[in-house]
mmCIF file of all heavy atoms in Angstrom:
data_model
loop_
_atom_site.group_PDB
_atom_site.id
_atom_site.type_symbol
_atom_site.label_atom_id
_atom_site.label_comp_id
_atom_site.label_asym_id
_atom_site.label_seq_id
_atom_site.Cartn_x
_atom_site.Cartn_y
_atom_site.Cartn_z
ATOM 1 N N ASN A 1313 1.334 -36.152 17.477
ATOM 2 C CA ASN A 1313 0.596 -34.984 16.967
ATOM 3 C C ASN A 1313 -0.483 -34.669 17.908
ATOM 4 O O ASN A 1313 -1.591 -35.241 17.780
ATOM 5 C CB ASN A 1313 0.108 -35.167 15.598
ATOM 6 C CG ASN A 1313 -0.579 -33.974 15.011
ATOM 7 O OD1 ASN A 1313 -0.970 -33.002 15.688
ATOM 8 N ND2 ASN A 1313 -0.792 -34.107 13.650
ATOM 9 N N ASN A 1314 -0.249 -34.008 19.026
ATOM 10 C CA ASN A 1314 -1.186 -33.781 20.079
ATOM 11 C C ASN A 1314 -1.553 -32.325 20.242
ATOM 12 O O ASN A 1314 -0.786 -31.570 20.875
ATOM 13 C CB ASN A 1314 -0.633 -34.415 21.455
ATOM 14 C CG ASN A 1314 -1.558 -34.248 22.564
ATOM 15 O OD1 ASN A 1314 -2.634 -33.626 22.445
ATOM 16 N ND2 ASN A 1314 -1.153 -34.795 23.682
ATOM 17 N N PRO A 1315 -2.614 -31.889 19.582
ATOM 18 C CA PRO A 1315 -3.000 -30.484 19.667
ATOM 19 C C PRO A 1315 -3.174 -29.893 21.080
ATOM 20 O O PRO A 1315 -3.126 -28.740 21.343
ATOM 21 C CB PRO A 1315 -4.205 -30.416 18.817
ATOM 22 C CG PRO A 1315 -4.456 -31.715 18.307
ATOM 23 C CD PRO A 1315 -3.663 -32.685 18.999
ATOM 24 N N ASP A 1316 -3.538 -30.886 22.081
ATOM 25 C CA ASP A 1316 -3.798 -30.410 23.465
ATOM 26 C C ASP A 1316 -2.344 -29.783 24.110
ATOM 27 O O ASP A 1316 -2.417 -29.047 25.109
ATOM 28 C CB ASP A 1316 -4.228 -31.547 24.302
ATOM 29 C CG ASP A 1316 -5.640 -31.897 23.716
ATOM 30 O OD1 ASP A 1316 -6.354 -31.131 23.086
ATOM 31 O OD2 ASP A 1316 -5.995 -32.984 24.202
ATOM 32 N N LYS A 1317 -1.256 -30.351 23.591
ATOM 33 C CA LYS A 1317 0.097 -30.004 24.238
ATOM 34 C C LYS A 1317 0.669 -28.868 23.390
ATOM 35 O O LYS A 1317 0.713 -28.922 22.139
ATOM 36 C CB LYS A 1317 0.903 -31.153 24.185
ATOM 37 C CG LYS A 1317 0.880 -32.087 25.425
ATOM 38 C CD LYS A 1317 2.172 -32.837 25.516
ATOM 39 C CE LYS A 1317 2.165 -34.065 26.374
ATOM 40 N NZ LYS A 1317 3.312 -34.888 26.284
ATOM 41 N N GLN A 1318 1.071 -27.816 24.074
ATOM 42 C CA GLN A 1318 1.593 -26.672 23.486
ATOM 43 C C GLN A 1318 3.110 -26.991 23.192
ATOM 44 O O GLN A 1318 3.822 -27.261 24.247
ATOM 45 C CB GLN A 1318 1.445 -25.374 24.281
ATOM 46 C CG GLN A 1318 1.990 -24.103 23.771
ATOM 47 C CD GLN A 1318 1.166 -23.655 22.565
ATOM 48 O OE1 GLN A 1318 -0.025 -23.897 22.494
ATOM 49 N NE2 GLN A 1318 1.879 -23.073 21.571
ATOM 50 N N GLN A 1319 3.550 -26.971 21.938
ATOM 51 C CA GLN A 1319 4.989 -27.292 21.612
ATOM 52 C C GLN A 1319 5.658 -26.065 21.068
ATOM 53 O O GLN A 1319 4.893 -25.281 20.433
ATOM 54 C CB GLN A 1319 5.075 -28.566 20.603
ATOM 55 C CG GLN A 1319 4.321 -29.747 21.099
ATOM 56 C CD GLN A 1319 4.819 -30.278 22.465
ATOM 57 O OE1 GLN A 1319 5.869 -29.869 22.886
ATOM 58 N NE2 GLN A 1319 4.081 -31.147 23.009
ATOM 59 N N LEU A 1320 6.939 -26.095 21.141
ATOM 60 C CA LEU A 1320 7.726 -24.916 20.465
ATOM 61 C C LEU A 1320 7.658 -25.098 18.948
ATOM 62 O O LEU A 1320 7.454 -24.072 18.255
ATOM 63 C CB LEU A 1320 9.096 -24.880 21.002
ATOM 64 C CG LEU A 1320 10.003 -23.741 20.484
ATOM 65 C CD1 LEU A 1320 9.525 -22.380 20.796
ATOM 66 C CD2 LEU A 1320 11.447 -24.051 20.978
ATOM 67 N N PHE A 1321 7.881 -26.327 18.478
ATOM 68 C CA PHE A 1321 7.989 -26.645 17.086
ATOM 69 C C PHE A 1321 6.650 -27.334 16.541
ATOM 70 O O PHE A 1321 6.139 -28.149 17.293
ATOM 71 C CB PHE A 1321 9.146 -27.435 16.730
ATOM 72 C CG PHE A 1321 10.439 -26.748 16.957
ATOM 73 C CD1 PHE A 1321 11.207 -26.927 18.127
ATOM 74 C CD2 PHE A 1321 11.001 -25.849 15.985
ATOM 75 C CE1 PHE A 1321 12.399 -26.291 18.281
ATOM 76 C CE2 PHE A 1321 12.240 -25.100 16.249
ATOM 77 C CZ PHE A 1321 12.923 -25.402 17.358
ATOM 78 N N SER A 1322 6.405 -27.001 15.294
ATOM 79 C CA SER A 1322 5.163 -27.704 14.741
ATOM 80 C C SER A 1322 5.485 -29.295 14.489
ATOM 81 O O SER A 1322 6.735 -29.532 14.546
ATOM 82 C CB SER A 1322 4.694 -27.034 13.455
ATOM 83 O OG SER A 1322 5.709 -27.246 12.465
ATOM 84 N N VAL A 1323 4.560 -30.051 14.155
ATOM 85 C CA VAL A 1323 4.825 -31.434 13.821
ATOM 86 C C VAL A 1323 5.748 -31.548 12.649
ATOM 87 O O VAL A 1323 6.713 -32.231 12.690
ATOM 88 C CB VAL A 1323 3.507 -32.142 13.578
ATOM 89 C CG1 VAL A 1323 3.871 -33.564 13.111
ATOM 90 C CG2 VAL A 1323 2.657 -32.250 14.907
ATOM 91 N N ALA A 1324 5.488 -30.690 11.623
ATOM 92 C CA ALA A 1324 6.352 -30.687 10.470
ATOM 93 C C ALA A 1324 7.759 -30.336 10.671
ATOM 94 O O ALA A 1324 8.647 -30.897 10.153
ATOM 95 C CB ALA A 1324 5.662 -29.768 9.322
ATOM 96 N N GLU A 1325 7.819 -29.326 11.569
ATOM 97 C CA GLU A 1325 9.221 -28.923 11.942
ATOM 98 C C GLU A 1325 9.987 -29.970 12.663
ATOM 99 O O GLU A 1325 11.150 -30.185 12.448
ATOM 100 C CB GLU A 1325 9.234 -27.586 12.731
ATOM 101 C CG GLU A 1325 8.783 -26.352 11.833
ATOM 102 C CD GLU A 1325 8.485 -25.094 12.845
ATOM 103 O OE1 GLU A 1325 8.052 -25.363 14.000
ATOM 104 O OE2 GLU A 1325 8.600 -24.039 12.342
ATOM 105 N N ARG A 1326 9.316 -30.585 13.621
ATOM 106 C CA ARG A 1326 9.911 -31.638 14.385
ATOM 107 C C ARG A 1326 10.374 -32.842 13.498
ATOM 108 O O ARG A 1326 11.443 -33.463 13.663
ATOM 109 C CB ARG A 1326 9.005 -32.105 15.629
ATOM 110 C CG ARG A 1326 8.837 -31.064 16.647
ATOM 111 C CD ARG A 1326 8.019 -31.572 17.762
ATOM 112 N NE ARG A 1326 6.571 -31.166 17.581
ATOM 113 C CZ ARG A 1326 5.515 -31.718 18.008
ATOM 114 N NH1 ARG A 1326 5.655 -32.876 18.655
ATOM 115 N NH2 ARG A 1326 4.338 -31.247 17.830
ATOM 116 N N MET A 1327 9.486 -33.215 12.578
ATOM 117 C CA MET A 1327 9.719 -34.270 11.616
ATOM 118 C C MET A 1327 10.903 -33.905 10.733
ATOM 119 O O MET A 1327 11.890 -34.753 10.533
ATOM 120 C CB MET A 1327 8.492 -34.606 10.752
ATOM 121 C CG MET A 1327 7.426 -35.220 11.573
ATOM 122 S SD MET A 1327 5.916 -35.376 10.492
ATOM 123 C CE MET A 1327 6.329 -36.807 9.490
ATOM 124 N N GLU A 1328 11.008 -32.752 10.382
ATOM 125 C CA GLU A 1328 12.120 -32.274 9.386
ATOM 126 C C GLU A 1328 13.431 -32.302 10.239
ATOM 127 O O GLU A 1328 14.494 -32.735 9.714
ATOM 128 C CB GLU A 1328 11.753 -30.806 8.972
ATOM 129 C CG GLU A 1328 12.905 -30.052 8.216
ATOM 130 C CD GLU A 1328 12.858 -30.455 6.738
ATOM 131 O OE1 GLU A 1328 12.013 -31.266 6.263
ATOM 132 O OE2 GLU A 1328 13.823 -29.954 5.987
ATOM 133 N N MET A 1329 13.416 -31.887 11.461
ATOM 134 C CA MET A 1329 14.642 -31.880 12.227
ATOM 135 C C MET A 1329 15.202 -33.323 12.447
ATOM 136 O O MET A 1329 16.383 -33.573 12.481
ATOM 137 C CB MET A 1329 14.386 -31.196 13.677
ATOM 138 C CG MET A 1329 14.396 -29.646 13.463
ATOM 139 S SD MET A 1329 14.286 -28.818 15.030
ATOM 140 C CE MET A 1329 12.605 -28.950 15.424
ATOM 141 N N ILE A 1330 14.144 -34.287 12.621
ATOM 142 C CA ILE A 1330 14.606 -35.658 12.832
ATOM 143 C C ILE A 1330 15.157 -36.193 11.542
ATOM 144 O O ILE A 1330 16.244 -36.786 11.552
ATOM 145 C CB ILE A 1330 13.301 -36.590 13.252
ATOM 146 C CG1 ILE A 1330 12.819 -36.176 14.713
ATOM 147 C CG2 ILE A 1330 13.824 -37.996 13.375
ATOM 148 C CD1 ILE A 1330 11.450 -36.771 15.090
ATOM 149 N N SER A 1331 14.528 -35.904 10.416
ATOM 150 C CA SER A 1331 15.054 -36.382 9.123
ATOM 151 C C SER A 1331 16.464 -35.887 8.863
ATOM 152 O O SER A 1331 17.395 -36.597 8.554
ATOM 153 C CB SER A 1331 14.130 -35.944 7.967
ATOM 154 O OG SER A 1331 13.003 -36.533 8.088
ATOM 155 N N LYS A 1332 16.659 -34.575 9.097
ATOM 156 C CA LYS A 1332 17.948 -33.917 8.838
ATOM 157 C C LYS A 1332 18.986 -34.510 9.835
ATOM 158 O O LYS A 1332 20.192 -34.511 9.418
ATOM 159 C CB LYS A 1332 17.875 -32.493 8.887
ATOM 160 C CG LYS A 1332 16.921 -31.791 7.908
ATOM 161 C CD LYS A 1332 17.891 -31.144 6.858
ATOM 162 C CE LYS A 1332 17.167 -30.311 5.997
ATOM 163 N NZ LYS A 1332 16.713 -30.100 4.929
ATOM 164 N N SER A 1333 18.645 -34.849 10.981
ATOM 165 C CA SER A 1333 19.579 -35.415 12.001
ATOM 166 C C SER A 1333 19.838 -36.823 11.870
ATOM 167 O O SER A 1333 20.832 -37.341 12.593
ATOM 168 C CB SER A 1333 19.057 -35.059 13.441
ATOM 169 O OG SER A 1333 18.669 -33.720 13.496
#
Side-chain angles (χ1 to χ4, degrees):
N1313 185 345
N1314 180 354
D1316 297 339
K1317 270 201 197 171
Q1318 185 67 36
Q1319 307 298 348
L1320 180 63
F1321 292 100
S1322 69
V1323 171
E1325 288 170 332
R1326 285 181 269 151
M1327 291 175 73
E1328 173 83 0
M1329 284 186 280
I1330 296 171
S1331 296
K1332 294 259 193 245
S1333 308

